[in-house]
Amino acid sequence: MNSSDTPTPTPTSVDLEMMARALVLARQAADVGEVPVGAVVYETATGRVLGEGFNLRHTRKDPTLHAELIAIRQAAQILGDWRLNDCTLVVTLEPCPMCAGLIVNARLGRLVFGCPDPKAGACGSLMSITTDARLNHRVTPIAGVMSDDCAELLRAFFRSKRA
């Protein structure tokens, strides 16, 4: 079976619930002038939220404070382990190269994202870090979950910045 024969994973009802939560976080980011991206890490088996965050790069003047990094750090701290094999990361925008590398290094079990990022996406758009066979861990993203809602939030944010 080659990779084109591999069935595309589908989002669960918990994934959809967590994406709705990530959208709330993304709106909070927009409210403080940040690019509206929200992320949630949850235990895949139980649905227990372990970490969540939204972009804080501008607010805290720190280029690493992406929503994914904040949520993953919180989850690792709660679990007391850097390995997040039994966890799912849900994020409103396709992760960038830094965050995709973090996803691999944290050994996340699942990745769900909203809209693609044609300018910086590293989970299928520009590159595919999370599925690169040369790496020691891989996670196939479930892409396009509530994509229209995620994309509209970003479009509205940038429209307001240009106005």
Side-chain angles (χ1 to χ4, degrees), residues 93-97 115-127 158 162:
L93 180 65
E94 179 182 358
C96 72
C115 58
D117 185 350
K119 293 183 179 179
C123 300
S125 289
L126 287 182
M127 57 194 83
F158 287 113
R162 287 189 297 271

Side-chain angles (χ1 to χ4, degrees), residues 19 23 92 114-115 145-155:
M19 184 61 79
L23 278 162
T92 57
C115 58
V145 176
M146 298 174 69
S147 180
D148 292 343
D149 295 329
C150 296
E152 181 50 39
L153 186 57
L154 286 160
R155 279 192 296 271

Side-chain angles (χ1 to χ4, degrees), residues 23-66:
L23 278 162
V24 168
L25 292 164
R27 287 183 193 96
Q28 290 175 2
D31 289 346
V32 298
E34 293 281 351
V35 174
V37 177
V40 177
V41 174
Y42 74 91
E43 277 182 327
T44 306
T46 67
R48 177 173 70 127
V49 173
L50 300 170
E52 58 185 24
F54 55 82
N55 280 359
L56 288 171
R57 293 184 328 160
H58 297 292
T59 304
R60 302 252 179 98
K61 314 269 187 279
D62 183 339
T64 68
L65 289 183
H66 290 205

Side-chain angles (χ1 to χ4, degrees), residues 75-91:
Q77 193 169 35
I78 286 173
L79 290 176
D81 193 352
W82 59 270
R83 293 173 197 87
L84 303 178
N85 302 79
D86 299 325
C87 298
T88 298
L89 169 67
V90 176
V91 61

